[in-house]
């Protein structure tokens, strides 16, 4: 006989109240809102992250892009393949080693980033809308702390440099 409650969903440690579960639900919601706002551009959040990273850091090899956008190798390869198929990124020679394979934004990728900016901003506002402005800032600060403090536990740690 165990001393477990009759209803495992009750109590402070219920599944629905676990931080991992709540973060997963919020991620699903954030992706849904992003896809809704960016529907006309046929762009996913990960594709946007890759394009925005290339815009910020310039042409990059796949591994560096993955580190800067917190994408694992497989995901980075899939995202880049889709972006290349759409003509949003192009292969460029590496700055130091012309034989290395780098990708950079194509003119179409630059234009798409400029065009999607308002939709991405609307998505971010919709995600945070249930919170008062001061609560939004607190949440963003706490999420940043959680992400930074647990970065080493990620399958794709962020290396923004």
């Amino acid at each position: 006989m165990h001393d477990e409650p009759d209803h495992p969903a009750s109590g402070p440690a219920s599944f629905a109240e676990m931080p991992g579960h709540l973060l997963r639900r919020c991620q699903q919601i954030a992706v849904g809102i992003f896809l809704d706002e960016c529907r006309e551009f046929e762009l996913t959040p990960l594709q946007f992250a890759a394009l925005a990273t290339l815009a910020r850091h310039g042409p990059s090899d796949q591994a560096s892009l993955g580190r800067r956008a917190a994408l694992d190798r497989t995901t980075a390869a899939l995202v880049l393949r889709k972006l290349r198929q759409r003509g949003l990124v192009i292969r460029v020679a590496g700055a130091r080693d012309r034989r290395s394979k780098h990708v950079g934004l194509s003119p179409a990728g630059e234009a798409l980033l400029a065009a999607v900016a308002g939709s991405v901003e609307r998505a971010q506002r919709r995600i945070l809308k249930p919170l008062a402005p001061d609560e939004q800032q607190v949440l963003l600060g706490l999420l940043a702390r959680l992400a930074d403090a647990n970065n080493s536990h990620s399958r794709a740690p962020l290396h923004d440099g």
Side-chain angles (χ1 to χ4, degrees):
M1 190 117 195
H2 296 13
D3 290 332
E4 294 180 20
D6 290 338
H7 299 53
S10 65
S14 74
F15 173 73
E17 296 170 344
M18 291 180 175
H21 176 70
L22 290 169
L23 287 168
R24 183 186 63 79
R25 284 188 57 218
C26 287
Q27 171 62 10
Q28 289 174 320
I29 292 163
V31 168
I33 290 171
F34 183 97
L35 293 175
D36 183 50
E37 287 293 338
C38 299
R39 179 180 297 120
E40 72 179 280
F41 302 101
E42 298 180 16
L43 193 67
T44 69
L46 295 180
Q47 291 169 347
F48 173 76
L51 292 172
T53 300
L54 289 171
R56 179 176 180 196
H57 295 282
S60 177
D61 62 89
Q62 182 177 308
S64 296
L65 174 66
R67 286 190 299 274
R68 290 176 177 143
L71 302 173
D72 63 68
R73 270 177 63 164
T74 302
T75 302
L78 291 171
V79 166
L80 285 174
R81 182 171 0 126
K82 290 280 189 188
L83 294 174
R84 271 195 308 272
Q85 288 170 351
R86 291 183 59 191
L88 301 174
V89 297
I90 54 174
R91 290 187 190 273
V92 296
R96 288 186 221 141
D97 181 354
R98 306 215 29 98
R99 295 168 295 167
S100 66
K101 295 178 183 176
H102 283 60
V103 293
L105 287 177
S106 69
E110 291 174 4
L112 179 71
L113 263 181
V116 78
S119 296
V120 171
E121 182 59 36
R122 275 191 305 280
Q124 305 316 298
R125 284 195 306 266
R126 278 181 59 193
I127 291 165
L128 294 172
K129 187 177 180 179
L131 303 175
D134 58 325
E135 292 173 320
Q136 293 175 13
Q137 294 309 308
V138 169
L139 176 64
L140 291 173
L142 292 172
L143 288 172
R145 277 180 47 199
L146 277 174
D148 291 346
N150 289 306
N151 191 48
S152 64
H153 302 293
S154 175
R155 288 184 2 198
L158 177 67
H159 299 283
D160 193 27

